[in-house]
Amino acid sequence: AAAPRRGGSARSRRSHVAAARSRSAMFSAVKSMRGAAAAKSAFNDPTKGGAVPQGREAAPSVVFSQCKDEKFHPSSRPSGYKQWFRRLRSSFRPSSLKDEISDKTLTGVDILVLGAPRAKFSVDEFDALKDFIHAGGALLVLADEGGEQNLGTNVNYLLEEYGIFVNADVAVRALPFESEYVHPKETLITDGVLNRAVQRFVDRARARNVAAGRENEAPNGVFAKGSLENDSLSLSGASASARPNASDSASSSSHLLGKSAPVRFVVPFCATLNVQKPAVPVLSTGATAVPPSRPLAALWAGNPSKGEGRG
């Protein structure tokens, strides 16, 4: 009988060793990829990690709802509130709400954010939201172009009780080629401030920036393209707390604001509002957008003397 060929056996052993090494390398690569994917996912999800700094445990709680199929929230893509969420950590206690809205889930919440909900609310959820507001909670509702008709929600049912209604339209630049923003629905508005408190807030922020040597920094903390006199604000960066006089309107806002540098802000893909008492309009499309002089932001504040709470 012929003797077995030793060379063939050696080649077979080398082949097995090479295959084992290849499998080991493949498993290591897959493990590394999974680890990298998990790390990337954790980094991109602002709701993970980032504990409240020591001494801020009693800071106001800001909760972003994700239970009504919101178009915008801290984890939404491609557009979302990730950076906003992370910046809030320095002064607030931000978190997300994925369970349904109820008295229980809203306990301990100071500010609830609804970022363009795309699902309908139940009667029980509306009742919980009204109880939350009249108990002193703050509700921030943001919409998208086309209003609730485009989003498929029924949030106007709640807002109408407070004098606010989201229209099924979109603000568009009247002069599409006279702006630094390319898309006509990214509307730069230069004469839309209706409430003096907004201007006072911006002027104080500008003064602080000048004192700190940050002349080219916008009041909301984002570096503007222009100088201090041309700071730009996003819609979400403006705030107001005082009621305007009866003469406040989009057409007369520049006169009311006196000699202060005008506040410019951008409203991307934004629906307009109908606003009536007891709500107060804060920002409008001014004369540089279509439809002109239509409210873009409004607020309602409860009157404790009427038992409405301070929400």
Side-chain angles (χ1 to χ4, degrees), residues 57-207:
E57 294 83 1
S61 170
V62 181
V63 175
F64 293 82
S65 173
Q66 294 183 224
C67 63
K68 305 308 294 182
D69 192 25
E70 279 80 5
K71 186 174 182 179
F72 306 108
H73 54 78
S75 301
S76 61
R77 295 183 182 181
S79 300
Y81 299 149
K82 179 170 67 175
Q83 292 186 8
W84 186 15
F85 188 99
R86 285 176 173 163
R87 292 183 65 175
L88 285 173
R89 285 177 176 163
S90 62
S91 303
F92 297 87
R93 291 181 293 117
S95 60
S96 293
L97 174 64
K98 298 182 180 180
D99 298 327
E100 67 176 15
I101 294 172
S102 66
D103 292 335
K104 181 179 179 181
T105 56
L106 295 179
T107 300
V109 176
D110 295 297
I111 304 172
L112 177 65
V113 181
L114 301 176
R118 293 179 290 188
K120 294 185 181 298
F121 294 79
S122 67
V123 174
D124 290 340
E125 288 176 320
F126 279 138
D127 289 341
L129 287 173
K130 285 186 282 188
D131 291 342
F132 168 72
I133 294 170
H134 291 287
L139 176 64
L140 175 60
V141 181
L142 299 108
D144 199 21
E145 61 174 319
E148 72 169 23
Q149 180 178 335
N150 182 53
L151 292 170
T153 185
N154 58 345
V155 71
N156 273 338
Y157 181 86
L158 173 69
L159 298 179
E160 283 182 294
E161 293 194 26
Y162 302 95
I164 303 171
F165 183 90
V166 182
N167 296 316
D169 62 4
V170 61
V172 181
R173 216 168 39 239
L175 302 173
F177 300 106
E178 296 186 9
S179 173
E180 58 204 274
Y181 298 90
V182 178
H183 201 290
K185 293 182 181 179
E186 293 177 345
T187 312
L188 174 63
I189 297 175
T190 59
D191 60 346
V193 175
L194 300 179
N195 194 296
R196 291 176 178 176
V198 176
Q199 185 70 44
R200 289 196 295 267
F201 170 83
V202 174
D203 287 343
R204 287 195 298 268
R206 283 170 171 164

